[in-house]
Amino acid sequence: MGFLCFKCDTFVFGDSRALVWHFSNIHSLVNGRYFTGQVTCMQDGCMRTFQNHVSTFKTHLDKNHDTLEDHVDVELNPENVDGADQSDEEPDGDEDPAGVNGPAELWDGFNKEEIEQRIAIFLAKLLGSSSVVQSTINDVVQQTSGLLDDAVAFLRDRTRQFAEAHGIEPYDEALISLMDNFEQCENSFDRFRGDYLRKKFFAESGCFLSPKDIPIARAFYQRNNRQTGNVSQVLRDVTFQYVPIGPLMKLILESHGFIENMDAHEPSSDGLMRDFHDGEYSRQNLFCRSKKNIQLLLYVDDFEVTNPLSPKAGTHKLGAVYCTITNIHPKFRSALDNCHLVMLFNASDAKLYGYSCIFEPLVEDLNSLIRDGIRIETTTFQGIVRVGLAQVTGENLGVHALFGFAQGFTANFPCRICRMPREDARRAITEDAQLLRTKEGYEEDVLAADLPNTGVRSDSPLNNIYHYHVTDNFAPDIMQDLLEGVCPLELKLVIKALIDKGFFDINLLNSRLVSFNYGAGDNQNKPCIFTVGMLNNPDGAPGQNAAQMWNLMRHFLVMLGDLVPGDDDHWELLVLLLKCMDIIFAPVVSEGDTIHLQQLIQDHHQHFLELFGEERWLKPKHHHMLHYPRAMRMVGPLTRFWTMRFEAKHNFSRRLSHIVCNFQNIAKTLAYRNQMLLCYNLLSQKGLIQNDVEVGPGSSVLVAALTEANLVQERLALGMYDDVFLANWCKVFGQTYKKHQMVVVSKNEDLEPVFGKLVNILAIDSGVKLVYETWETTGFNRHLHAYTVAPMDPPVAAITTVKDLLDWNVLQLNQSGSHDDAVFCVVTRYNV
């Protein structure tokens, strides 16, 4: 009995625990109860993958696969048999040479250190969770340690009684060795019983970086006297939490696979812009032009840790600074594990004492890292690495405050990119290059100290960082500008106008909104219904979050296009806005795209003024769009800097603060728990960079049983009677692929995308293969802002991989129009 190893094709005798032991000791794929890398089943042709809990994999084996004892008659290479007796003698039927419980060496490494390591991972997992409070963790430690100690004491006592009953002497070597094993398991939680001991252990492990409590001022705070019940005023330090950037970078860069991924991420060589390093700024900046230098993207934002509608809203509002490393591929940067906390501070302290004292430690550390660098020691790299600042992103008001610009949109000069007066910006439809802010002009404005006439309040502490200046910060926040600003405003204005024209009413709108098929990729972001009050107040709350608004904007024209004539002026405004968004949200852009975008924005703004010029002017967020083409040329695709993923990072702290319910020093609590999450990832050797391909459940079938058997045989070089694993789904970097979804596979002669409908997902040794039927692209319907498609007759099947897709997003096939004249159409997320 036994199982096959997917890594070395070794036949491992024993049960599922023997295979796990083989993974751990031969391939170093197991750390405690967790896999350190991806594991493929490979039993009976099963290609399902596992990458977290070992127990899930063992349960899968025990439930779905019998051990391969019935297949031992297959010719095996003796060198590829683990745990087998290679003598010619047949084992006695009563003996178990392989060991029912696995190889004899299965528990050799299970010592005191291994037990403490597993306990550390277990507690780090709890402390890195946003749903468990400290008191619960203390109770878990107390109860678990007591239970384990009692179990060990019981087994040791029963073992001693058994030895006495069978005449085994107390000094017998085997008995002494057995008792030593009991002693190793005793008091396993001694180094974790208190919060101080736990912090000490994690710090000594080298995986935990404790946040620093940095004082910035002294102030009076209230203190309750528990004995008298009186409240007294106590003078104490005003502090904020800072995670030292140097040690943080060392932890990250020395983690498994990080340096290797950085080396593999090269700038584009075909003239297209795919990332920050493809922009002009990266080539011009003395620090960023070197690929060996670590370039950080900082995110600055304030967020509520209490109910925003409660009376205490704003009292405990926190400011956060996160960082991510632009040297790694964007598909890894989008993972929350690669978004790291740098600072947490009280938002009111920043307003009262200013940003200079808060950012001073970070500025000093970054200058030291730029000047001296840090020493990195990995298996593939040993040397000095320098770390600097590339760009800063965040919500507009927070970035303006940090950069020293006017913080209100009603200021005379509300833009941080140019010095266009507010009255002119309300009507401007093109960028004025003569008004762009420069380093010299900014310094003059700081010296002038004339906020109403310059738009500059004070100097920014970030200007003290080598090779960086705020006037060279081109990264906009397209999420706030468009999805939380321009889009909800214009959508409500257009809906109100269309309802007034009698094309539909709000009930019909909401019924289609609710019943529309958004597809698996967008179902979790279904938009909310509209109310009359929302439409009558277009400047009010959007009513949708950013993800819902993006989903609604892309599908709105398909949803209602059959009810609105093609020459409607208000409908045309949304068409122009979507054409702008196709380029703004694209992950790959060219210089020609930026020129085209400039003209589209001009047309859109001009049309807006023609429609609503007598009622309203362009908003400041409309004005921000004028700078997008130039920003693209300087720093690459703008989605690399939007705050969508950073906003998701706030959710950890929000959830935790809601269950902690102790706001004496909430920033310290949240910073500690954020660092424990990083500690867990490093302790469990999870890896901040990993090939995230997951294959779901399915079944092993013969190639001949597939409808596309001839194609599979020819393209994959398989025989008709070879087994392939037919998966129900696969997930690649967070995107799930299933049957009947549409994907973009190529472009036709007219440079229009060619779509394929997934019919099968095959998992073989060389990877995941997508089998699809090609659909013909019949054109682009401007009124619906969608591609019209039709199935080919006869069907034409083909095979591709996720890597070879023109766009990795899955799309939904929809119908627009009445039943008699309905057309199939596909809405893309951006220009492909």
Side-chain angles (χ1 to χ4, degrees):
M1 59 185 295
F3 295 98
L4 286 175
C5 171
F6 79 102
K7 198 81 171 176
C8 60
D9 292 331
T10 298
F11 187 85
V12 181
F13 282 91
D15 61 4
S16 57
R17 287 178 294 179
L19 183 59
V20 171
W21 177 90
H22 177 84
F23 287 159
S24 176
N25 290 272
I26 305 301
H27 303 297
S28 300
L29 285 172
V30 179
N31 186 10
R33 296 297 181 185
Y34 301 91
F35 288 122
T36 60
Q38 191 175 82
V39 170
T40 305
C41 177
M42 288 294 288
Q43 316 305 319
D44 300 319
C46 177
M47 298 296 292
R48 186 173 180 182
T49 58
F50 302 84
Q51 54 188 13
N52 289 316
H53 296 274
V54 173
S55 59
T56 306
F57 174 68
K58 292 168 65 177
T59 301
H60 170 78
L61 290 181
D62 297 337
K63 182 178 179 181
N64 298 285
H65 303 290
D66 293 330
T67 55
L68 301 182
E69 58 182 337
D70 296 332
H71 306 283
V72 178
D73 57 338
V74 178
E75 183 177 353
L76 294 173
N77 184 351
E79 296 180 357
N80 286 342
V81 179
D82 188 3
D85 184 358
Q86 299 185 20
S87 67
D88 294 332
E89 297 180 2
E90 291 292 331
D92 183 71
D94 297 331
E95 296 180 1
D96 183 15
V100 175
N101 295 321
E105 303 88 351
L106 181 62
W107 301 103
D108 284 354
F110 196 77
N111 50 29
K112 188 76 170 180
E113 290 73 19
E114 173 67 14
I115 295 173
E116 289 182 345
Q117 180 72 6
R118 293 194 181 186
I119 293 174
I121 295 174
F122 166 62
L123 294 180
K125 177 71 172 178
L126 292 178
L127 289 165
S129 169
S130 61
S131 57
V132 183
V133 296
Q134 187 73 39
S135 59
T136 301
I137 296 173
N138 293 335
D139 289 341
V140 168
V141 171
Q142 182 179 358
Q143 297 296 331
T144 306
S145 62
L147 176 63
L148 181 59
D149 290 345
D150 290 345
V152 171
F154 170 77
L155 293 175
R156 182 177 55 187
D157 183 66
R158 288 305 172 92
T159 302
R160 185 180 293 111
Q161 293 179 14
F162 178 85
E164 292 176 356
H166 289 77
I168 302 176
E169 298 295 336
Y171 47 81
D172 184 85
E173 292 184 1
L175 181 61
I176 294 175
S177 176
L178 182 59
M179 291 303 174
D180 289 341
N181 291 332
F182 284 123
E183 290 183 5
Q184 288 188 13
C185 296
E186 277 187 323
N187 304 318
S188 300
F189 278 81
D190 280 357
R191 300 183 65 184
F192 305 93
R193 292 193 183 277
D195 187 52
Y196 170 78
L197 292 177
R198 286 196 290 269
K199 289 181 179 180
K200 181 180 178 182
F201 181 92
F202 290 128
E204 292 174 351
S205 71
C207 297
F208 175 71
L209 180 59
S210 179
K212 288 186 177 181
D213 224 10
I214 307 293
I216 56 177
R218 291 183 65 81
F220 285 98
Y221 290 85
Q222 290 185 352
R223 175 181 292 177
N224 294 324
N225 190 319
R226 295 182 179 180
Q227 295 180 349
T228 64
N230 296 328
V231 178
S232 58
Q233 298 290 325
V234 178
L235 186 66
R236 69 180 190 189
D237 289 335
V238 179
T239 62
F240 70 94
Q241 301 300 308
Y242 171 57
V243 181
I245 194 70
L248 177 62
M249 289 296 105
K250 185 174 177 65
L251 273 180
I252 296 169
L253 296 176
E254 291 183 343
S255 63
H256 177 68
F258 207 95
I259 291 291
E260 292 80 359
N261 182 269
M262 284 175 43
D263 294 337
H265 184 42
E266 295 285 348
S268 298
S269 58
D270 55 2
L272 299 178
M273 293 179 284
R274 294 178 172 84
D275 204 356
F276 167 72
H277 304 95
D278 299 323
E280 294 179 14
Y281 176 76
S282 180
R283 296 193 296 268
Q284 296 170 359
N285 185 275
L286 183 62
F287 181 82
C288 295
R289 71 175 63 163
S290 175
K291 182 177 178 292
K292 296 181 179 179
N293 293 336
I294 305 300
Q295 297 141 45
L296 299 181
L297 172 65
L298 289 187
Y299 170 73
V300 182
D301 189 24
D302 295 345
F303 66 98
E304 288 281 0
V305 294
T306 59
N307 187 345
L309 300 180
S310 71
K312 290 188 176 294
T315 304
H316 302 295
K317 192 174 186 179
L318 295 181
V321 178
Y322 303 112
C323 78
T324 186
I325 297 175
T326 63
N327 301 67
I328 60 176
H329 196 280
K331 64 186 178 184
F332 297 118
R333 290 211 301 271
S334 63
L336 293 183
D337 286 340
N338 285 312
C339 176
H340 306 286
L341 178 69
V342 178
M343 287 193 292
L344 274 181
F345 53 87
N346 195 303
S348 60
D349 291 341
K351 294 180 180 179
L352 181 61
Y353 303 109
Y355 282 94
S356 296
C357 56
I358 295 176
F359 276 79
E360 182 180 358
L362 176 61
V363 171
E364 291 179 356
D365 287 352
L366 281 177
N367 283 335
S368 175
L369 292 173
I370 294 172
R371 182 179 60 251
D372 305 323
I374 52 175
R375 180 76 182 176
I376 301 299
E377 299 282 348
T378 69
T379 56
T380 59
F381 176 84
Q382 297 83 34
I384 301 296
V385 172
R386 288 175 170 79
V387 183
L389 180 59
Q391 292 283 283
V392 177
T393 188
E395 57 94 17
N396 290 311
L397 294 181
V399 172
H400 277 233
L402 176 60
F403 285 5
F405 293 111
Q407 299 179 36
F409 288 136
T410 58
N412 293 334
F413 296 88
C415 182
R416 68 175 182 266
I417 305 298
C418 72
R419 291 191 58 177
M420 183 176 288
R422 181 167 62 95
E423 292 300 319
D424 295 342
R426 294 167 64 183
R427 299 182 295 273
I429 60 175
T430 58
E431 180 185 64
D432 190 343
Q434 301 297 322
L435 297 178
L436 294 176
R437 294 188 185 272
T438 62
K439 181 179 179 179
E440 294 75 17
Y442 178 90
E443 292 173 349
E444 292 175 1
D445 292 342
V446 170
L447 294 176
D450 187 5
L451 177 63
N453 295 316
T454 64
V456 177
R457 182 183 302 273
S458 61
D459 195 10
S460 172
L462 299 184
N463 290 332
N464 296 320
I465 299 176
Y466 301 149
H467 310 298
Y468 177 84
H469 196 272
V470 296
T471 55
D472 293 328
N473 197 95
F474 306 100
D477 180 11
I478 60 176
M479 186 193 81
Q480 190 184 45
D481 287 345
L482 288 172
L483 302 181
E484 296 180 348
V486 173
C487 290
L489 169 67
E490 295 191 1
L491 187 61
K492 286 189 282 188
L493 289 172
V494 170
I495 290 175
K496 179 71 163 57
L498 296 177
I499 291 178
D500 291 343
K501 292 178 182 179
F503 296 135
F504 53 83
D505 58 26
I506 193 170
N507 292 326
L508 178 58
L509 166 67
N510 287 332
S511 66
R512 291 203 173 186
L513 202 69
V514 172
S515 60
F516 188 79
N517 182 13
Y518 298 96
D522 289 308
N523 256 344
Q524 59 184 356
N525 296 314
K526 287 183 178 179
C528 302
I529 62 173
F530 287 91
T531 64
V532 175
M534 291 169 58
L535 300 180
N536 290 332
N537 182 24
D539 295 307
Q544 322 277 348
N545 63 32
Q548 290 174 318
M549 180 55 63
W550 193 22
N551 187 14
L552 177 58
M553 283 296 298
R554 288 185 287 109
H555 294 102
F556 185 80
L557 302 190
V558 174
M559 195 184 306
L560 296 164
D562 60 310
L563 303 177
V564 181
D567 59 349
D568 186 82
D569 289 340
H570 288 87
W571 190 265
E572 178 66 15
L573 181 66
L574 293 184
V575 172
L576 290 173
L577 179 57
L578 283 169
K579 290 177 75 67
C580 294
M581 293 173 63
D582 281 345
I583 301 177
I584 293 171
F585 286 85
V588 181
V589 293
S590 65
E591 189 167 352
D593 289 333
T594 66
I595 298 173
H596 184 43
L597 175 62
Q598 186 174 347
Q599 185 61 49
L600 287 174
I601 293 175
Q602 180 178 344
D603 294 344
H604 168 266
H605 285 20
Q606 181 65 44
H607 195 68
F608 182 91
L609 291 173
E610 291 173 356
L611 286 176
F612 306 106
E614 297 181 359
E615 306 172 17
R616 57 178 63 245
W617 301 101
L618 293 170
K619 295 285 187 178
K621 293 179 180 180
H622 282 100
H623 175 75
H624 293 167
M625 293 176 64
L626 301 181
H627 302 299
Y628 285 0
R630 181 169 173 269
M632 279 186 183
R633 290 191 290 272
M634 298 304 294
V635 295
L638 302 185
T639 50
R640 306 307 185 205
F641 306 95
W642 71 342
T643 60
M644 184 80 80
R645 296 303 292 158
F646 289 107
E647 289 277 355
K649 187 71 173 179
H650 287 329
N651 292 335
F652 178 90
S653 297
R654 286 196 182 104
R655 289 193 300 266
L656 184 60
S657 63
H658 288 166
I659 66 168
V660 168
C661 298
N662 186 338
F663 298 94
Q664 289 295 318
N665 196 345
I666 187 64
K668 186 172 185 177
T669 300
L670 299 181
Y672 167 64
R673 297 293 287 271
N674 268 277
Q675 289 307 106
M676 283 308 308
L677 178 58
L678 174 61
C679 177
Y680 164 71
N681 289 334
L682 298 176
L683 263 181
S684 60
Q685 300 178 12
K686 181 180 177 181
L688 302 178
I689 300 293
Q690 52 185 340
N691 188 20
D692 194 3
V693 179
E694 183 179 356
V695 178
S699 59
S700 182
V701 299
L702 295 177
V703 171
L706 299 174
T707 307
E708 308 81 15
N710 293 329
L711 174 68
V712 173
Q713 180 189 30
E714 178 183 349
R715 288 291 308 277
L716 303 183
L718 297 174
M720 281 294 183
Y721 296 100
D722 287 340
D723 285 334
V724 293
F725 186 71
L726 196 62
N728 296 338
W729 53 264
C730 74
K731 183 181 291 185
V732 182
F733 292 105
Q735 185 67 252
T736 302
Y737 297 86
K738 299 179 179 179
K739 292 173 64 174
H740 310 302
Q741 293 176 332
M742 303 295 285
V743 291
V744 183
V745 295
S746 61
K747 284 190 175 183
N748 58 22
E749 295 178 353
D750 298 326
L751 298 182
E752 293 177 328
V754 175
F755 300 95
K757 186 176 182 180
L758 297 182
V759 294
N760 274 319
I761 299 173
L762 306 179
I764 59 177
D765 292 344
S766 59
V768 176
K769 309 295 180 181
L770 304 179
V771 184
Y772 65 90
E773 289 181 354
T774 304
W775 280 53
E776 181 184 2
T777 303
T778 58
F780 181 78
N781 190 317
R782 190 177 186 277
H783 182 67
L784 303 178
H785 197 76
Y787 290 95
T788 54
V789 296
M792 301 184 72
D793 189 19
V796 177
I799 298 177
T800 187
T801 64
V802 176
K803 181 181 178 181
D804 294 330
L805 292 176
L806 204 59
D807 180 38
W808 55 270
N809 286 291
V810 293
L811 305 172
Q812 181 63 29
L813 183 67
N814 287 109
Q815 282 185 304
S816 179
S818 61
H819 185 269
D820 295 332
D821 58 352
V823 294
F824 288 109
C825 56
V826 178
V827 178
T828 58
R829 290 175 175 258
Y830 37 69
N831 271 358
V832 178

